[in-house]
Amino acid sequence: MPKNAYYITTTLPYVNADPHIGFALEIVQADIIARWHRLKGEEVVFNTGTDEHGQKIQDAAAKAGLDPQAYCDQYAAKFHALKETLDLTYTHFIRTTDAHHVAAAQEFWKRCDAADDIYKKQYQVKYCVGCELEKTDSELVDGKCPIHPKLEIESRDEENYFFRWSKYQDALLKHYEANPGFVVPEHRLNEIRSFVSGGLQDFSISRLKEKMSWGVPVPGDEAHVMYVWFDALVNYISTIGWPNEKYAKFWPGTQVAGKDNLRQQSAMWQGMLLSAGVPMSERIFIHGFITADGQKMSKSLGNVVNPMDLVAMYGTDTVRYYLASLPAYEDGDYTAKQFEDIYTSKLVNGIGNLAARTATMVEKYCEAKVPAKTEDRFETAAFWEKYGHALENFHFDEAIRALEHYVTTVNQAIDVEAPFKKAKLGEDVAPFMYQLAEAQRQIGLALLPIIPTAAAKILAQIGVEISSSNPHDRENLQLPEAQAWGGLEPGSPVKKGDILFPRLEQKTA
């Protein structure tokens, strides 16, 4: 893939429930990475969408009294609405009911069949409809799926088509060994390596249409439809034009997925790619779950956190910042107190306070204009190294910590320098004012991928305008040139503007 092209995709959520904060975490993480790569001057394709086939979609549609397609249309619109709600910059939104995806899935099947990797057999299996996956006894807890404990495990006995997954065991293990950064974090790579080492079993890739009709038709056999995972995984390449060769401009790409998707993304899909003669994925980032007050979110407990509600109460940037602050490699726990503490301490008293102090002092002591350039005193290059390394490895919380440390360093410098006192004594504070204004530019740049609207306002305060006519043009200050110290031009206008992050009592007043 050319260096100036970058592709990232989320998983496709099933359309059997409203968007929840767990998927909001995933899509915001992917958006941060997409924006980061645009800042670096790369052409980015960012894919998301909806997974619309399978047993539980058919069942949910029947329960709602709707035709499956009408049911999917209804829910796809809800997920598409996240683009505005969470300020997302995805370029592609694919639905697995799209005609071009259906055609691509059928072509993919044909290529795996041509490789002699598809065959028919009678089989018996325990099956979790919630996961849309076969389950072994060792994966069940008291006879239930630990991820969907309220659903009954189904026993199935039928003739299906199978994929020769076992054929690719050695190839997968060799790939993991040769590419230690293939799955991030490392312990997830070790987890999938251990699973594959234990032996791969061929898996069913079709369902009898008379029992489950809502799926992509199997080429050449009208009695079967494709197993939902076999169909859905193909979206990662169908969305960028596969089997047309133009897809190769962006593939292989990066995939973002939850820990319950580890097997499907890093082993099942990779085996399928090998069979079809398509390059394997570039990297796979696996994130944890979000619990609520230490408990798994569930409707019965009444503790499901709706990202739409949080945005309505606190604003998009606050929700994005909070999600980026959660542990990137492990599970994170949501509590209302923690959410409000981060808002107050990191945004109101941290970033927002520094931006207000800086603009106020430059307005007062330098006639509202950026003064002459001076040298960096905040170890800015070291900050960018930590911040960039963190984002390159999907360590969002580490990037946030690096940024917060930089903000704290600048705020502490104000306390040490005490420019208010020095100005009263007639001392020249202009050199320090430049350092503050330039530090604000650095902070604004670093915030662009994370909280883009607030970042644009922070930069606008010091005369750096970010285009908002097109969401994909908002990152028009490309790194590394833009992050170099001294990029803020003397004479640039400075204006404090409105409060970036109102205090909670002001928001609720």
Side-chain angles (χ1 to χ4, degrees):
M1 186 171 66
K3 271 192 172 183
N4 66 339
Y6 183 79
Y7 174 46
I8 189 166
T9 180
T10 69
T11 55
L12 302 190
Y14 278 121
V15 288
N16 66 329
D18 290 342
H20 57 78
I21 197 168
F23 182 65
L25 170 70
E26 181 170 311
I27 201 166
V28 166
Q29 288 175 333
D31 187 67
I32 289 170
I33 297 299
R35 288 176 181 271
W36 169 248
H37 280 269
R38 289 193 198 99
L39 269 175
K40 296 198 297 180
E42 297 172 58
E43 181 184 357
V44 173
V45 164
F46 172 15
N47 177 59
T48 190
T50 45
D51 185 353
E52 303 183 10
H53 291 126
Q55 184 72 56
K56 64 181 177 182
I57 302 301
Q58 180 173 289
D59 292 348
K63 186 176 181 180
L66 293 172
D67 170 80
Q69 187 63 62
Y71 175 87
C72 291
D73 291 345
Q74 199 176 80
Y75 272 91
K78 294 183 179 183
F79 281 93
H80 204 0
L82 289 176
K83 187 167 193 177
E84 181 176 354
T85 304
L86 295 173
D87 198 0
L88 305 170
T89 57
Y90 58 77
T91 58
H92 293 52
F93 187 93
I94 190 168
R95 300 177 58 184
T96 56
T97 52
D98 290 340
H100 75 278
H101 171 75
V102 170
Q106 291 176 322
E107 176 61 25
F108 197 93
W109 178 288
K110 292 176 184 177
R111 296 194 185 191
C112 292
D113 191 29
D116 195 30
D117 288 336
I118 294 178
Y119 63 95
K120 232 179 189 182
K121 77 168 184 178
Q122 189 79 19
Y123 86 119
Q124 295 178 324
V125 69
K126 294 178 180 178
Y127 192 80
C128 173
V129 173
C131 294
E132 295 281 12
L133 286 173
E134 300 161 8
K135 297 290 179 177
T136 62
D137 288 335
S138 65
E139 294 176 296
L140 303 177
V141 177
D142 296 327
K144 303 277 189 176
C145 170
I147 300 175
H148 301 95
K150 293 190 176 181
L151 296 179
E152 292 295 325
I153 292 293
E154 296 185 4
S155 295
R156 297 188 172 185
D157 185 355
E158 60 186 43
E159 186 180 52
N160 288 169
Y161 285 96
F162 275 71
F163 175 71
R164 294 188 199 278
W165 198 20
S166 56
K167 175 179 171 181
Y168 296 99
Q169 178 173 334
D170 289 344
L172 289 172
L173 290 173
K174 287 178 182 177
H175 188 76
Y176 302 152
E177 187 66 29
N179 299 275
F182 178 62
V183 177
V184 178
E186 183 181 8
H187 68 270
R188 296 299 179 196
L189 177 64
N190 293 336
E191 186 179 334
I192 194 62
R193 182 190 287 116
S194 176
F195 172 79
V196 174
S197 296
L200 293 181
Q201 301 297 315
D202 298 348
F203 60 88
S204 167
I205 57 171
S206 77
R207 298 291 180 263
L208 285 170
K209 190 173 182 179
E210 64 180 357
K211 293 184 179 180
M212 205 291 291
S213 62
W214 186 239
V216 175
V218 167
D221 191 339
E222 294 182 358
H224 287 257
V225 296
M226 290 185 196
Y227 167 51
V228 63
W229 277 107
F230 192 92
D231 140 40
L233 289 166
V234 178
N235 93 86
Y236 300 138
I237 54 176
S238 68
T239 192
I240 50 176
W242 189 89
N244 188 307
E245 286 302 315
K246 68 180 182 180
Y247 91 102
K249 177 180 179 181
F250 289 98
W251 187 260
T254 296
Q255 296 166 215
V256 181
K259 65 180 184 179
D260 56 336
N261 258 257
L262 175 64
R263 183 192 311 180
Q264 298 93 308
Q265 307 299 323
S266 58
M268 286 173 61
W269 172 229
Q270 304 311 314
M272 289 164 58
L273 288 168
L274 287 168
S275 175
V278 178
M280 295 170 72
S281 306
E282 183 73 24
R283 295 183 87 190
I284 301 170
F285 167 61
I286 302 293
H287 62 81
F289 292 157
I290 301 180
T291 56
D293 290 304
Q295 294 181 294
K296 182 179 178 181
M297 293 186 194
S298 72
K299 290 181 181 178
S300 61
L301 290 175
N303 65 349
V304 175
V305 179
N306 187 321
M308 306 287 197
D309 294 341
L310 286 179
V311 168
M313 186 175 299
Y314 298 101
T316 298
D317 278 343
T318 304
V319 173
R320 288 176 63 101
Y321 192 90
Y322 171 77
L323 292 173
S325 301
L326 291 172
Y329 289 1
E330 301 294 344
D331 292 352
D333 187 49
Y334 169 87
T335 69
K337 182 179 185 306
Q338 178 202 50
F339 187 98
E340 293 186 354
D341 284 349
I342 287 176
Y343 176 77
T344 298
S345 64
K346 306 304 182 182
L347 295 180
V348 176
N349 296 335
I351 293 167
N353 180 53
L354 176 59
R357 295 173 89 185
T358 297
T360 298
M361 287 188 288
V362 176
E363 279 186 318
K364 184 173 183 179
Y365 302 128
C366 300
E367 299 179 342
K369 292 182 180 179
V370 175
K373 294 184 179 182
T374 56
E375 295 299 314
D376 179 21
R377 64 180 287 166
F378 301 121
E379 299 183 358
T380 301
F383 153 67
W384 277 106
E385 184 176 356
K386 290 178 183 177
Y387 175 89
H389 182 266
L391 285 190
E392 292 295 335
N393 290 283
F394 316 102
H395 224 318
F396 304 95
D397 51 334
E398 289 288 346
I400 289 287
R401 278 194 285 272
L403 179 59
E404 289 172 351
H405 177 75
Y406 189 80
V407 169
T408 298
T409 299
V410 179
N411 260 323
Q412 288 175 344
I414 295 174
D415 297 335
V416 171
E417 286 289 326
F420 293 105
K421 295 179 181 179
K422 289 184 176 181
K424 286 182 179 179
L425 297 172
E427 295 184 34
D428 182 13
V429 296
F432 184 58
M433 292 300 104
Y434 182 85
Q435 290 171 338
L436 292 184
E438 174 62 12
Q440 179 160 325
R441 187 180 74 90
Q442 302 289 336
I443 292 166
L445 286 173
L447 285 171
L448 276 173
I450 302 167
I451 49 173
T453 299
K457 291 178 181 179
I458 286 169
L459 291 168
Q461 286 183 345
I462 50 174
V464 179
E465 294 296 334
I466 303 297
S467 168
S468 59
S469 59
N470 182 325
H472 307 301
D473 290 338
R474 297 179 78 175
E475 291 82 3
N476 57 4
L477 297 174
Q478 295 179 3
L479 304 181
E481 294 82 3
Q483 70 191 38
W485 182 267
L488 192 56
E489 288 300 316
S492 299
V494 175
K495 186 176 181 180
K496 182 179 176 182
D498 297 331
I499 296 173
L500 289 170
F501 304 104
R503 296 188 179 278
L504 287 175
E505 57 267 24
Q506 293 174 304
K507 291 178 74 67
T508 56

